[in-house]
Amino acid sequence: MGYRTFAGIACLLVFVALRVDLGSAAGFHRDPHHPRPRAKAAAPVADEVPTVTPMEAAGYGVIQRVLGEEYTGKFQLCQITANAGENDTFELRQSPAGLIELCGTNGVALAKGLYWYLRTYCNATVTWGHHGTGDHLELPSPLPAVPKTVRVSSSVKWRYYMNVCTVSYSSAWWDWRRWEREIDWMALHGINLPLSFTGQEYVIAEYYKSLGMTEEELQAYFSGPAFLAWNRMGNIRGWAGPLTPDNRKAQFMLQLQSLERMRALGMTPVLSGFSGHVPAALERIVPGIELTESHAWGNFNDSYTKVRLLDPTDSHFLSLAKGYYLMQTELMGTDHVYNVDTFNEMNPSSSDPGYLANTSAAVFQGMRAADPDAIWLMQGWLFLSGFWNEKTVKPYLDAVPNSGMIILDLYTEAVPIWSRYESYYGKPFVWCMLHNFGGRRSLCGNLTRIATGPASDRVLAGSSMAGIGLTPEAIEQNPVVYEMMLETGWTTQPIDVPSWISDYVYDRYGNSAGNAKLQSAWALLRDSVYQYNFGQTYLGGLHRSPGIPSVTSTSGLGVYAEPSDPSTMWSAGQQQESTPLLGSGYDMAGVTAAWRLMTAGAQQVGLAAGQISGPLSYDLVDVGRQVLIGVHADLATLSSAAYVSWAKDKVNTTTQLDKLGTALLDLIYDLDQLLITDSNYLLGHWLDTAKDWATDDAERKQFEANARYQITLWGPSGQINDYAEKHWAGLVGTYYRGRWNLWVETLLTAVTTNTPVNTGQYGSALLAWEQAWCQANESYTSQPESSLVVTKSASLLAKWATAPSGAEYQVFKDTVVNGFDIHAGQALVSKDVEQLKMFCEMEPTCVGFISTGYLKTAIDQRSTLAGCDLYVKQK
């Protein structure tokens, strides 16, 4: 039995049963299409003080924090035992006293049962959103009764949560209030295996100081707080530091609070393991130890990379690993599951099967030396590298017993690895949805794959699937995808996507005025952007450091970087954007149509209720944001085409560039104004929470720079540039708009003065501007202008998704024009007819367009093409 609790920790919550609401039990239905029978409420009972177990107290705590203290007396909690073959289980029934009787095998099962009740009977949801803005919790009164006993068991043992990068991209600046909220969210969604990495630098520091390392030597190793994930994985060292002892201690204390809560709910927190990434000073402390250097990573120079590595086969590895685990257990306790990734985005030094087997065996033995019950949890991400094949993977895994390892198949929804290697040769694996990289925004996700994949893969012959998991690099985006994915851990059958989405819309917004339009909007999203794999996401080019258009390239977004321009070179991470940016069939016209319907539905809801709910505001901004980044990309494409016409063909395009450039900058301003209407899209919140961790002015400036660099340049001079971009008010209106303003001015000056752009000077000026922004300290609002969200959406629809007044076109069905493209090689992203008319009116040489997204300078060479329509401008 592990240290699941600490000395002095006790459950102090004792809840007094409240009176059940009086009144008749009028029939309550989930919605007109999905009626739910409802039993009559029993008579109220006298007040009594129940005796609660620690597990029940943890469950009552979730009820109190999520629903309010007045609801703790409306539920009666109890503990049950799982039957043979069952995983975590909950039961729901109506008690004789008229309460909702909720029983579970542990706190997670209780919380999941509560959420099942809220979704099934109360049209309620709890999703991501600042300060509860993602929740819809307008519960009926009295609470609907449970007509018959319901018993539900998880279909898998483990429901895992978090990526090793999430702790930096999303939770770097969380305080206890935010962590407490996330832990409740985890419990409600049935998560029982969360990654818990907060505060591990305190353990690392205490351990190495006990061996004789100095604070100065530690500071050379630790990165700043926004980049700790990659410090922990052995990718970088020192960048954006220091990491002060006070900060390490504060993070450690936060970790103790989180661990206490997770354990009280019956979760199994995953702690960090010893992988061999060590401070260079270990060579001074341990005589005879031999350290190697990791390869350079992410274009960082040697001062921030070349991390020292202790090979697991080294004779010192076992004793150092054992000491680390003992120190961590002393400080944090243990639940016996440790995450270690020895070769994250780095290949081993040898492909010899014996070496690989000895490496993994040593890592595992280091755990077991300190904890005989240790289980190694590793990410299967490393096996995507070309280094790994059957001859290397099998010996590496076979050296560890199946009972001692869990593998996260990190990207199963798009690139499953388990099926390549005989279900990891018997190792239990977790079917994971990665979905998001760096917190970059795009409406995307393959709902059909999620709805069917886990259920089918679990029962395949030879499958060792033992869980489902969420492994996004960043959270708080596309909540619909994560809601569905987590439900797969509590059902044995595939999910019916249309029915599920219909229920989701009712639960998210309520059954109110405008719901029919909202349902229609989501049907469009469901059948288009939420049926795509990652390669069909659309990130747009707003966030990209804009390069000077090439006169030789005819493909790409339209903002083509010269190879000699260092400020626009792509990192490995950004190359993942190349396919979607080149055009993948992403249905932006469907998103635009959905925005129209969602705005109309929100207008009806607002008229009926006086204001719209947090979830509807969140989604309205998110869908509008996606439409506007498409408009931006098209304006950039047309501007690039105008510049290339001058540079290549010596056509004077000053008028076009001036008009298009003005529109492009106007569009960015408007997007910023849309984002400022919702609290979930504010740069000020990210910066304020970073500065809140500081203890003095110097640390406040450092933490703000950490926060700014991570979402922009990432590294000091653009290493991994724009990988973690965010569409946030303030960031869009200053950083992105400032860069595009420089781009527009540079192109316009070149054409006006008939002088080619000096790409080297431009690149240097752009990088200098970006670095200055990262070092600045101007404040940005963290308070949304929420009363404007519906009117702002309607006005921007009228401006950016509506043909100008007087724009008249003759339509020729199933007709295409070959050649005469204004923007050769790249179709416009916005294929909505109203928007194509808008773009054609902006471009003086445009005489018409085809519905596949090309504006034309002539319409002479026509031919037949089914599904493509020609629109000819009427003079």
Side-chain angles (χ1 to χ4, degrees):
M1 178 178 180
Y3 298 88
R4 295 192 65 86
T5 58
F6 294 97
I9 296 175
C11 294
L12 303 177
L13 298 173
V14 177
F15 296 92
V16 178
L18 303 177
R19 291 188 181 274
V20 179
D21 287 341
L22 299 176
S24 62
F28 171 77
H29 299 294
R30 179 182 179 85
D31 62 64
H33 305 290
H34 302 276
R36 305 279 184 168
R38 180 174 174 205
K40 292 182 178 180
V45 297
D47 291 348
E48 59 183 39
V49 179
T51 300
V52 296
T53 67
M55 186 202 81
E56 292 163 359
Y60 281 119
V62 174
I63 295 171
Q64 181 188 41
R65 290 186 297 274
V66 174
L67 301 181
E69 187 172 357
E70 66 273 20
Y71 282 93
T72 58
K74 301 177 186 294
F75 291 86
Q76 180 178 315
L77 306 186
C78 64
Q79 187 164 9
I80 57 174
T81 302
N83 296 326
E86 286 185 330
N87 298 305
D88 291 349
T89 301
F90 66 81
E91 281 189 359
L92 273 168
R93 63 179 66 89
Q94 199 72 19
S95 78
L99 305 179
I100 306 301
E101 188 173 329
L102 172 57
C103 304
T105 51
N106 52 41
V108 169
L110 282 177
K112 176 60 183 178
L114 172 65
Y115 196 51
W116 192 94
Y117 172 80
L118 293 174
R119 285 290 308 269
T120 305
Y121 293 103
C122 300
N123 285 136
T125 52
V126 177
T127 61
W128 289 316
H130 291 165
H131 306 314
T133 54
D135 300 347
H136 177 240
L137 288 172
E138 298 173 2
L139 306 187
S141 181
L143 289 178
V146 180
K148 63 180 180 179
T149 299
V150 174
R151 185 180 178 96
V152 178
S153 295
S154 176
S155 57
V156 288
K157 181 178 180 179
W158 300 116
R159 285 85 60 198
Y160 175 81
Y161 181 45
M162 281 209 183
N163 185 298
V164 293
C165 297
T166 320
V167 294
S168 287
Y169 283 136
S170 292
S171 62
W173 314 112
W174 285 2
D175 57 11
W176 171 238
R177 178 185 179 187
R178 182 63 186 86
W179 264 114
E180 183 176 52
R181 164 75 186 189
E182 195 71 8
I183 295 169
D184 285 341
W185 179 90
M186 294 181 207
L188 290 169
H189 290 82
I191 291 166
N192 66 347
L193 189 65
L195 194 68
S196 189
F197 270 15
T198 304
Q200 68 177 262
E201 284 67 34
Y202 180 83
V203 177
I204 293 170
E206 292 303 299
Y207 180 49
Y208 288 125
K209 284 195 296 184
S210 74
L211 300 179
M213 198 170 293
T214 67
E215 180 65 28
E216 183 179 17
E217 289 170 330
L218 284 168
Q219 290 301 343
Y221 176 67
F222 289 132
S223 69
F227 301 94
L228 288 174
W230 302 275
N231 188 203
R232 295 163 181 169
M233 289 185 281
N235 302 130
I236 59 173
R237 60 188 174 93
W239 162 235
L243 194 69
T244 65
D246 285 345
N247 183 264
R248 298 196 302 259
K249 182 65 176 291
Q251 288 288 316
F252 171 67
M253 298 306 295
L254 179 60
Q255 170 77 333
L256 294 187
Q257 286 182 287
S258 298
L259 289 173
E260 178 186 358
R261 180 62 55 75
M262 291 177 185
R263 288 164 174 159
L265 287 164
M267 296 179 184
T268 300
V270 179
L271 299 181
S272 66
F274 185 84
S275 59
H277 311 132
V278 298
L282 203 60
E283 289 178 317
R284 178 185 66 78
I285 295 171
V286 182
I289 196 170
E290 293 186 8
L291 304 180
T292 59
E293 291 182 342
S294 67
H295 299 294
W297 181 86
N299 297 322
F300 277 86
N301 61 36
D302 290 355
S303 62
Y304 293 127
T305 186
K306 300 280 186 176
V307 177
R308 301 304 192 274
L309 302 175
L310 173 62
D311 195 288
T313 62
D314 186 280
S315 60
H316 297 89
F317 187 92
L318 181 61
S319 61
L320 286 168
K322 179 181 178 180
Y324 174 81
Y325 288 111
L326 290 174
M327 172 70 79
Q328 180 172 256
T329 299
E330 178 184 347
L331 293 173
M332 292 184 177
T334 185
D335 298 86
H336 312 296
V337 183
Y338 309 96
N339 171 249
V340 175
D341 295 304
T342 49
F343 302 114
N344 181 69
E345 299 184 3
M346 298 179 290
N347 290 332
S349 59
S350 171
S351 61
D352 177 71
Y355 168 77
L356 294 171
N358 290 337
T359 295
S360 56
V363 171
F364 185 66
Q365 290 165 8
M367 296 178 187
R368 285 285 172 101
D371 181 358
D373 298 319
I375 296 175
W376 177 4
L377 182 138
M378 66 170 288
Q379 299 182 124
W381 187 250
L382 76 164
F383 298 135
L384 282 175
S385 163
F387 171 92
W388 297 95
N389 52 51
E390 289 184 2
K391 295 180 180 179
T392 51
V393 173
K394 193 174 191 303
Y396 185 76
L397 295 181
D398 281 352
V400 179
N402 289 352
S403 61
M405 179 176 278
I406 301 171
I407 299 178
L408 302 177
D409 198 70
L410 209 69
Y411 201 8
T412 325
E413 90 277 16
V415 188
I417 301 174
W418 69 273
S419 56
R420 303 180 188 179
Y421 299 114
E422 299 178 27
S423 200
Y424 292 114
Y425 307 106
K427 296 288 186 296
F429 76 90
V430 178
W431 199 110
C432 295
M433 182 184 75
L434 177 52
H435 184 261
N436 182 269
F437 292 81
R440 295 175 290 181
R441 277 286 186 174
S442 175
L443 293 177
C444 65
N446 191 330
L447 293 183
T448 296
R449 170 72 173 144
I450 295 164
T452 58
S456 61
D457 290 352
R458 184 177 56 83
V459 297
L460 283 177
S463 173
S464 57
M465 177 179 160
I468 59 97
L470 304 180
T471 53
E473 285 192 351
I475 60 171
E476 299 177 313
Q477 40 75 32
N478 288 287
V480 63
V481 180
Y482 297 86
E483 286 284 303
M484 179 179 285
M485 182 63 203
L486 287 170
E487 285 202 16
T488 66
W490 292 84
T491 179
T492 60
Q493 300 299 315
I495 295 171
D496 181 83
V497 176
S499 177
W500 189 93
I501 285 290
S502 179
D503 288 345
Y504 175 81
V505 173
Y506 280 111
D507 294 348
R508 189 158 173 80
Y509 308 136
N511 186 11
S512 59
N515 202 280
K517 287 185 172 61
L518 298 174
Q519 288 281 357
S520 297
W522 270 99
L524 287 170
L525 298 174
R526 177 199 71 204
D527 294 337
S528 57
V529 298
Y530 284 117
Q531 294 297 333
Y532 290 160
N533 289 319
F534 175 74
Q536 293 174 297
T537 63
Y538 187 74
L539 300 170
L542 172 72
H543 65 283
R544 292 177 64 203
S545 195
I548 302 303
S550 169
V551 299
T552 58
S553 175
T554 59
S555 63
L557 174 66
V559 186
Y560 313 113
E562 295 284 0
S564 61
D565 181 358
S567 72
T568 58
M569 295 296 284
W570 283 8
S571 71
Q574 288 172 301
Q575 288 172 2
Q576 294 170 335
E577 296 183 18
S578 60
T579 298
L581 286 172
L582 292 174
S584 61
Y586 189 90
D587 186 9
M588 191 64 77
V591 180
T592 302
W595 193 26
R596 290 190 181 102
L597 285 165
M598 193 170 284
T599 300
Q603 288 173 320
Q604 286 184 260
V605 171
L607 289 173
Q611 60 181 2
I612 64 171
S613 67
L616 182 50
S617 170
Y618 181 104
D619 293 342
L620 191 60
V621 173
D622 205 15
V623 175
R625 172 205 57 77
Q626 187 76 13
V627 172
L628 294 182
I629 66 166
V631 176
H632 167 271
D634 291 338
L635 289 170
T637 294
L638 294 172
S639 297
S640 293
Y643 175 82
V644 170
S645 292
W646 164 78
K648 185 177 181 180
D649 302 323
K650 305 307 176 185
V651 177
N652 187 343
T653 54
T654 302
T655 300
Q656 290 101 306
L657 268 175
D658 188 21
K659 186 174 183 179
L660 290 166
T662 298
L664 184 148
L665 296 175
D666 192 26
L667 180 282
I668 299 175
Y669 173 83
D670 284 347
L671 174 57
D672 195 71
Q673 292 301 298
L674 175 64
L675 296 169
I676 207 171
T677 63
D678 189 277
S679 61
N680 294 284
Y681 303 88
L682 302 179
L683 171 64
H685 177 80
W686 173 251
L687 297 182
D688 288 350
T689 53
K691 291 181 284 187
D692 285 345
W693 275 99
T695 57
D696 56 34
D697 288 341
E699 199 169 51
R700 189 172 295 106
K701 183 175 181 179
Q702 178 204 351
F703 287 0
E704 180 170 2
N706 264 246
R708 286 172 177 250
Y709 269 103
Q710 191 208 85
I711 60 176
T712 54
L713 291 172
W714 216 100
S717 55
Q719 296 85 351
I720 321 182
N721 193 16
D722 294 318
Y723 180 81
E725 62 86 13
K726 303 292 187 294
H727 294 153
W728 286 341
L731 184 65
V732 168
T734 60
Y735 187 74
Y736 297 153
R737 194 169 189 269
R739 297 197 303 189
W740 284 99
N741 182 66
L742 177 62
W743 183 79
V744 168
E745 288 183 347
T746 300
L747 298 190
L748 191 58
T749 298
V751 174
T752 302
T753 63
N754 200 31
T755 305
V757 175
N758 184 317
T759 57
Q761 289 180 357
Y762 169 77
S764 297
L766 184 60
L767 178 60
W769 192 93
E770 293 165 334
Q771 290 172 323
W773 189 92
C774 289
Q775 293 292 336
N777 58 4
E778 66 269 25
S779 296
Y780 298 89
T781 184
S782 57
Q783 297 299 318
E785 298 176 3
S786 55
S787 62
L788 302 177
V789 61
V790 179
T791 55
K792 181 62 69 175
S793 295
S795 66
L796 293 182
L797 267 169
K799 184 174 181 179
W800 297 110
T802 305
S805 177
E808 297 181 3
Y809 290 77
Q810 184 178 2
V811 183
F812 297 88
K813 304 294 290 184
D814 298 326
T815 303
V816 67
V817 171
N818 300 310
F820 306 108
D821 298 329
I822 291 176
H823 44 105
Q826 173 65 45
L828 294 184
V829 175
S830 307
K831 297 179 179 62
D832 179 87
V833 171
E834 291 288 293
Q835 289 179 307
L836 289 172
K837 290 179 181 178
M838 175 187 72
F839 289 126
C840 193
E841 295 299 315
M842 286 184 182
E843 170 57 62
T845 63
C846 180
V847 298
F849 60 87
I850 53 176
S851 57
T852 51
Y854 288 92
L855 307 186
K856 301 291 182 175
T857 58
I859 55 173
D860 298 333
Q861 297 182 10
R862 304 184 194 182
S863 59
T864 300
L865 181 63
C868 180
D869 298 332
L870 169 64
Y871 289 76
V872 179
K873 185 186 294 187
Q874 300 299 290
K875 297 181 180 179

